[in-house]
Amino acid sequence: MSNLVLGAVERANIDPYGEIANIPGGMVNVSVTGEGEQTVVLLAGYGTASPVLDFKPLVTELEDAYKVIVIERFGYGFSDLDATTRTVENISTELHDTLSKLGVNDSYVLVAHSLAGIYSLDYVNRFPGEVSALVTIDGTVPEDFAVAPTIGAGQRLLSVTGWARWMIALNPAITAPSAPVGVYSEREIEQIRLMTIWNYANPAIIDENNRSAENFDAVAGMSYPAELPVLAFLSQQLIDTNGQWLPAHEQQLEPLDRSELVVLDGGHYLHWTHSEEMAESLNRFIR
């Protein structure tokens, strides 16, 4: 009960960001900034408590030149948390419905981090011709070595009973982005901490995780359209720890008419630490 009370008090003192798009299935929270003619759409990886805040360093670098949209799919940020059946088809369709609701129908750049690499692969094949260029940030590839283990009921219990809250209270630094000092304000770091507690192991997140193998099977053998320009950022950290990471991405890009692979000396959340270099590479690639 104390966990529910604390959560209610915290939510009353946090100002929600973005705007709500009502689509079939529920409410999706989105952030729209910048006034550029070209639209860039950002998709977060698995388990990101607040995609809008997570992408802040990269959005800051892009919004002077582009219209930048961050979409918080079901289970993330301030979007509905109880949507289940997180199939790759549903996730792609919901993304398309959200963009249509915003009046974004074609010629946009799609940027996908981590597991969103799988969804973007499905998306560009399911809605051909709409995406003008794809950018992946340590994007997951449809290979067996990348499938996530199943989450049991225990982790949901940790969230409901408040154990996740107390675990994070013992070490609040575990939820703070490892970005340079000054990139995030103390208030933003606190909001990420709180949203991690609120959103931890919610029904949509658990279902998304447990459908990993199913979703990987759905895109097995799928490739990018040959004419689609694809820019892939990879972290040196993952290349060093997984010998299959770089070759799998090189193989995925090889058949394309135009592609570029950029390795950056950092961890999986490259947009926290290398946003300026990434924005410069993106500008060169799509222009």
Side-chain angles (χ1 to χ4, degrees):
M1 181 64 70
S2 61
N3 184 52
L4 295 175
V5 172
L6 285 172
V9 171
E10 291 162 350
R11 290 175 187 272
N13 289 280
I14 289 291
D15 295 325
Y17 49 70
E19 59 189 82
I20 293 295
N22 287 291
I23 65 169
M27 297 186 297
V28 176
N29 194 63
V30 300
S31 170
V32 182
T33 58
E35 298 180 356
E37 294 184 4
Q38 176 73 59
T39 297
V40 176
V41 179
L42 303 180
L43 306 177
Y46 175 76
T48 303
S50 170
V52 168
L53 293 177
D54 180 78
F55 275 125
K56 181 198 170 183
L58 185 56
V59 171
T60 299
E61 295 293 336
L62 295 174
E63 61 188 357
D64 285 345
Y66 304 95
K67 178 180 181 181
V68 183
I69 301 174
V70 181
I71 295 180
E72 299 186 328
R73 62 185 180 272
F74 293 138
Y76 294 76
F78 286 107
S79 295
D80 284 348
L81 306 180
D82 57 357
T84 54
T85 320
R86 300 288 77 215
T87 62
V88 67
E89 178 180 0
N90 285 348
I91 290 171
S92 287
T93 301
E94 291 156 4
L95 168 60
H96 192 259
D97 289 344
T98 303
L99 289 174
S100 295
K101 195 79 173 180
L102 297 174
V104 179
N105 298 305
D106 57 27
S107 300
Y108 47 92
V109 177
L110 196 59
V111 179
H113 176 233
S114 194
L115 186 59
I118 294 296
Y119 307 141
S120 66
L121 174 59
D122 177 85
Y123 189 89
V124 297
N125 282 280
R126 192 175 298 277
F127 303 103
E130 292 194 9
V131 175
S132 60
L134 175 65
V135 180
T136 61
I137 306 171
D138 250 357
T140 303
V141 288
E143 309 290 344
D144 289 342
F145 68 81
V147 178
T150 299
I151 292 178
Q155 281 195 279
R156 178 58 182 160
L157 187 64
L158 289 178
S159 176
V160 173
T161 60
W163 276 104
R165 174 184 298 280
W166 309 128
M167 290 163 61
I168 292 171
L170 290 172
N171 185 12
I174 63 175
T175 64
S178 56
V181 174
V183 171
Y184 286 96
S185 68
E186 288 299 320
R187 183 172 177 81
E188 289 169 334
I189 292 173
E190 173 66 3
Q191 183 159 0
I192 292 172
R193 184 187 72 82
L194 292 175
M195 295 183 73
T196 302
I197 294 168
W198 303 340
N199 293 350
Y200 179 80
N202 66 67
I205 287 286
I206 291 177
D207 192 72
E208 181 182 359
N209 181 88
N210 292 348
R211 290 185 188 274
S212 290
E214 173 187 338
N215 286 338
F216 274 60
D217 286 343
V219 297
M222 191 179 290
S223 57
Y224 296 130
E227 69 279 5
L228 177 69
V230 179
L231 169 63
F233 293 105
L234 293 186
S235 70
Q236 187 64 54
Q237 186 179 92
L238 260 68
I239 292 173
D240 292 341
T241 57
N242 188 333
Q244 301 176 80
W245 197 243
L246 178 59
H249 286 84
E250 290 174 332
Q251 182 178 1
Q252 189 179 44
L253 297 178
E254 196 276 331
L256 301 182
D257 296 339
R258 181 165 175 258
S259 65
E260 183 178 346
L261 193 154
V262 178
V263 177
L264 295 172
D265 188 17
H268 187 52
Y269 288 80
L270 290 168
H271 48 282
W272 290 350
T273 54
H274 292 73
S275 57
E276 183 176 353
E277 301 102 302
M278 293 171 67
E280 291 173 354
S281 294
L282 187 151
N283 289 337
R284 288 194 302 269
F285 187 77
I286 68 175
R287 291 183 174 177

